[in-house]
Amino acid sequence: MRAQLLPLDGSPPVDILKDMTLVGRKEECDLRLDHKSISKMHCVIVKTDGLLLLRDLGSTNGTRVNGQRVRRAALLPNDQIAFASFKYRVAFGPDEKLAVPSAEHTQHLDAKEVAAMAARGGRPDSEADMPMPPVQVNPLPDVYPEQGQRPAR
């Protein structure tokens, strides 16, 4: 899996190559952001089993995913990450190329729709626009019938 952080300010993309990428102000960090708003060891991004996981390392100014301050989070394509005031968009996909909409995927949209989609970070307008596989949920019972109560923890 290839993963990148795309800076929202137009800077060059940051490839997430290692299984564990340390973000911070220290020289030893894999993604070094030399600014006083970034903690020396701000957060870590872990690439495992086709997933990107983020964990804040107790940073002073925090790490946000889609505007929500988090201690840990699973990252999805097009999620927006903010390390203090540094903002990125997550992109990942097959090793050959990233899962970025191409012209052939957007040619059925008019210019207004493409601009609106770009303003939303490339996300469709509603869940109806987004093809989703069916999900089967098997809820656990609150009570075990044979005992008539919850199990002890």
Side-chain angles (χ1 to χ4, degrees):
M1 171 184 78
R2 182 174 177 187
Q4 284 185 325
L5 298 181
L6 306 172
L8 297 187
D9 67 1
S11 302
V14 177
D15 285 315
I16 305 296
L17 301 173
K18 295 177 159 184
D19 288 340
M20 191 161 75
T21 302
L22 185 60
V23 179
R25 200 173 68 226
K26 278 184 123 178
E27 286 188 31
E28 299 83 39
C29 291
D30 302 300
L31 173 53
R32 187 162 182 261
L33 301 172
D34 192 17
H35 191 269
K36 63 183 179 181
S37 66
I38 301 294
S39 294
K40 290 177 185 175
M41 292 184 21
H42 199 91
C43 72
V44 66
I45 298 172
V46 178
K47 189 164 59 165
T48 179
D49 298 328
L51 296 172
L52 277 182
L53 305 172
L54 178 141
R55 181 170 181 166
D56 186 85
L57 299 173
S59 64
T60 303
N61 292 313
T63 302
R64 296 180 179 273
V65 176
N66 299 323
Q68 181 82 28
R69 189 167 178 164
V70 296
R71 289 186 185 191
R72 33 179 107 171
L75 301 176
L76 299 173
N78 293 317
D79 276 351
Q80 192 176 98
I81 304 175
F83 311 117
S85 61
F86 292 83
K87 295 182 181 179
Y88 297 85
R89 184 175 60 83
V90 176
F92 63 90
D95 286 332
E96 309 84 59
K97 62 179 184 176
L98 292 175
V100 177
S102 64
E104 65 189 41
H105 292 110
T106 57
Q107 66 188 152
H108 68 281
L109 302 174
D110 67 20
K112 279 186 178 179
E113 289 172 307
V114 172
M117 197 166 155
R120 292 188 302 273
R123 294 177 190 257
D125 196 18
S126 70
E127 289 183 22
D129 297 336
M130 207 174 351
M132 298 290 288
V135 176
Q136 184 172 356
V137 178
N138 295 323
L140 296 173
D142 285 338
V143 176
Y144 289 94
E146 62 272 38
Q147 297 174 347
Q149 61 184 5
R150 289 178 178 255
R153 292 187 190 235

